[in-house]
Amino acid sequence: MEKFVQQFSTEAVKSGATVSGPYDLAGLMEYLRKLIASKKPAKIAACRPADRPDWLSPELIKNLATALPDQTISLITDPQTAETDFDIGITGCNFGIAQTGTIGLESSNSWARKVSALPLIHIAILNQSKILETWSEALELVNRTPSNYYALITGPSRTADIERVLTLGVHGPEELHIILTNE
Amino acid sequence: MNKIKHKINDSLKQPFLRQALNNFAANYLEARPAALAGLDFGEIQSEISAIKDKAIKNLPELIGSFVKQSQQAGARVYYASTGQSAIDYINQLITRKNIKRIVKSKSMTSEEIELNRALGKTGAEVTETDLGEWIIQLAQQKPSHMVMPAIHLTASEVAKLFTKVTGQEEPSDINHLVKIARRELRKKFLEADLGIIGANIAVAENGTLVVLTNEGNGRLVVTLPKTVIALVGIEKLVPSFKEAEPIIKILPRNATGQLATSYVSFIRGPAAHQEFHIILLDNGRLKLRDSADYRTVLRCLRCGACANVCPVYQQVGGHVFGHIYSGAIGLVLTAVYH
């Protein structure tokens, strides 16, 4: 598993993402607090990971905001919200792929898609034990999961449509931060 | 001089076009082998050919299975034998649902049937959201490359087009131009009541559409509007999910020298509160299947690599070397579809 984690991190960074951790829950919250503080967002949206709903619970996210007393941050965790304008989106991940540093996000609930696709910054929390080695394994997993929308994400949103110059964040996130956890 | 000679002469007088195409071609010759390192391209190519040949042979059965499976997943499926019948179906939907604003993500199949021109007549506003497609829509041109539709335009030409959109002088800094596109197109996404997408692969056994994109506009097009249409050529069908894998592997590597596109989406049916239509487009494909000489054309994945390595294409670009489909494969596809 160590090998996959190393390969995943190397490839994800090559694709333009950042990778940090692995952290336990306390370490994760501390890292999140620092990352969010450095971005000074007005609005954060969060989508609770299906496997660990305790991680991005509204209470925890609220604690995060109160830990940043000098910033006014509004938190959006209700999937039914009509809000579409947020600076940071936080989601879990269903798996990672070491081969290309890709993350998998089951997104049948369109809230998961909005949180990961609309903001300029996407923070994705990935349990390192869920890193698979190859696309073959990942596609098998996708195939056997009942889902109306499964997204595989490799790095930030990119375009080279003007003069072939690579530019990030054209429609989706300009920054993808992957945080590994070990519990 | 005849018309084609005029067009060739005109394009040869555009130094930027040639420079852009040559730069990309030189870069492609390094990026593609790097992306294919450790893989046996010939082997994967043979594997995909065999999958596609099997799919082409059993196309009527695959269509039947795909229709059944995607309907089970909640999609409404329409089989369009011609481009016009696809257009009619979309027009009826627009009228029935009183649709005013449409966002599209990049689809060569929609270019093939000249969908935008037809949609314009309905009075609904249509916006292309892939950056390159939006640029050529503003310039009122056709794509000059299957994967990089606006490769023939300079940043300062793009700045002039964007100036018309925003009503203020826009500098030709590329980062700035991309930010304008994000801001202007985001409004369109949020207002749209219909989204139209294409697909790279359609899986017959379970009704899944696979969509590969880099910008992330495709994700917004299928997520934000209440009604979504996927326009899919029937040659995109493969029998099983497993058989989509080599295509997902090779398409980004061969098209742009990337290991994976930023986003690979697997779509099967609508999200809650959404209406999802799939139009399977024939438009001459079933007939092509009967031709022993030309049926292999249906294997084409639309990666655009044949243009990337073509010396003639590099001199004149896709507006001369092609009609809607450009490059070497475009010669054949144009004869078949147009």
mmCIF file of all heavy atoms in Angstrom, chain A residues 4 25 89 91 99 121 160:
data_model
loop_
_atom_site.group_PDB
_atom_site.id
_atom_site.type_symbol
_atom_site.label_atom_id
_atom_site.label_comp_id
_atom_site.label_asym_id
_atom_site.label_seq_id
_atom_site.Cartn_x
_atom_site.Cartn_y
_atom_site.Cartn_z
ATOM 1 N N PHE A 4 1.714 2.362 -3.409
ATOM 2 C CA PHE A 4 0.618 3.004 -4.145
ATOM 3 C C PHE A 4 0.423 4.444 -3.686
ATOM 4 O O PHE A 4 0.163 5.330 -4.485
ATOM 5 C CB PHE A 4 -0.704 2.241 -3.953
ATOM 6 C CG PHE A 4 -0.691 0.854 -4.509
ATOM 7 C CD1 PHE A 4 -1.655 -0.067 -4.115
ATOM 8 C CD2 PHE A 4 0.257 0.460 -5.454
ATOM 9 C CE1 PHE A 4 -1.663 -1.349 -4.630
ATOM 10 C CE2 PHE A 4 0.266 -0.816 -5.972
ATOM 11 C CZ PHE A 4 -0.687 -1.724 -5.546
ATOM 12 N N LEU A 25 -8.158 12.296 12.116
ATOM 13 C CA LEU A 25 -9.225 13.285 12.032
ATOM 14 C C LEU A 25 -8.776 14.655 12.578
ATOM 15 O O LEU A 25 -9.031 15.696 11.968
ATOM 16 C CB LEU A 25 -10.472 12.789 12.773
ATOM 17 C CG LEU A 25 -11.690 13.705 12.693
ATOM 18 C CD1 LEU A 25 -12.101 13.981 11.255
ATOM 19 C CD2 LEU A 25 -12.869 13.101 13.455
ATOM 20 N N GLY A 89 -15.114 24.066 -2.348
ATOM 21 C CA GLY A 89 -15.989 22.911 -2.185
ATOM 22 C C GLY A 89 -15.192 21.777 -1.561
ATOM 23 O O GLY A 89 -14.052 21.519 -1.962
ATOM 24 N N THR A 91 -15.216 17.679 -0.551
ATOM 25 C CA THR A 91 -15.891 16.384 -0.710
ATOM 26 C C THR A 91 -14.984 15.270 -0.190
ATOM 27 O O THR A 91 -13.801 15.478 0.052
ATOM 28 C CB THR A 91 -16.166 16.057 -2.200
ATOM 29 O OG1 THR A 91 -14.908 15.821 -2.862
ATOM 30 C CG2 THR A 91 -16.907 17.166 -2.920
ATOM 31 N N GLN A 99 -1.883 4.921 -10.600
ATOM 32 C CA GLN A 99 -1.322 5.074 -11.952
ATOM 33 C C GLN A 99 -1.270 6.528 -12.440
ATOM 34 O O GLN A 99 -0.301 6.939 -13.075
ATOM 35 C CB GLN A 99 -2.213 4.304 -12.928
ATOM 36 C CG GLN A 99 -1.515 3.212 -13.671
ATOM 37 C CD GLN A 99 -2.520 2.384 -14.490
ATOM 38 O OE1 GLN A 99 -3.676 2.746 -14.696
ATOM 39 N NE2 GLN A 99 -2.043 1.250 -14.962
ATOM 40 N N ILE A 121 -11.857 26.285 -5.980
ATOM 41 C CA ILE A 121 -10.997 25.396 -5.187
ATOM 42 C C ILE A 121 -11.784 24.166 -4.759
ATOM 43 O O ILE A 121 -12.855 24.280 -4.163
ATOM 44 C CB ILE A 121 -10.456 26.131 -3.934
ATOM 45 C CG1 ILE A 121 -9.646 27.367 -4.365
ATOM 46 C CG2 ILE A 121 -9.612 25.189 -3.074
ATOM 47 C CD1 ILE A 121 -9.259 28.272 -3.207
ATOM 48 N N ALA A 160 -6.376 24.340 -23.270
ATOM 49 C CA ALA A 160 -5.254 24.871 -24.056
ATOM 50 C C ALA A 160 -5.827 25.378 -25.372
ATOM 51 O O ALA A 160 -5.188 25.335 -26.407
ATOM 52 C CB ALA A 160 -4.206 23.790 -24.278
#
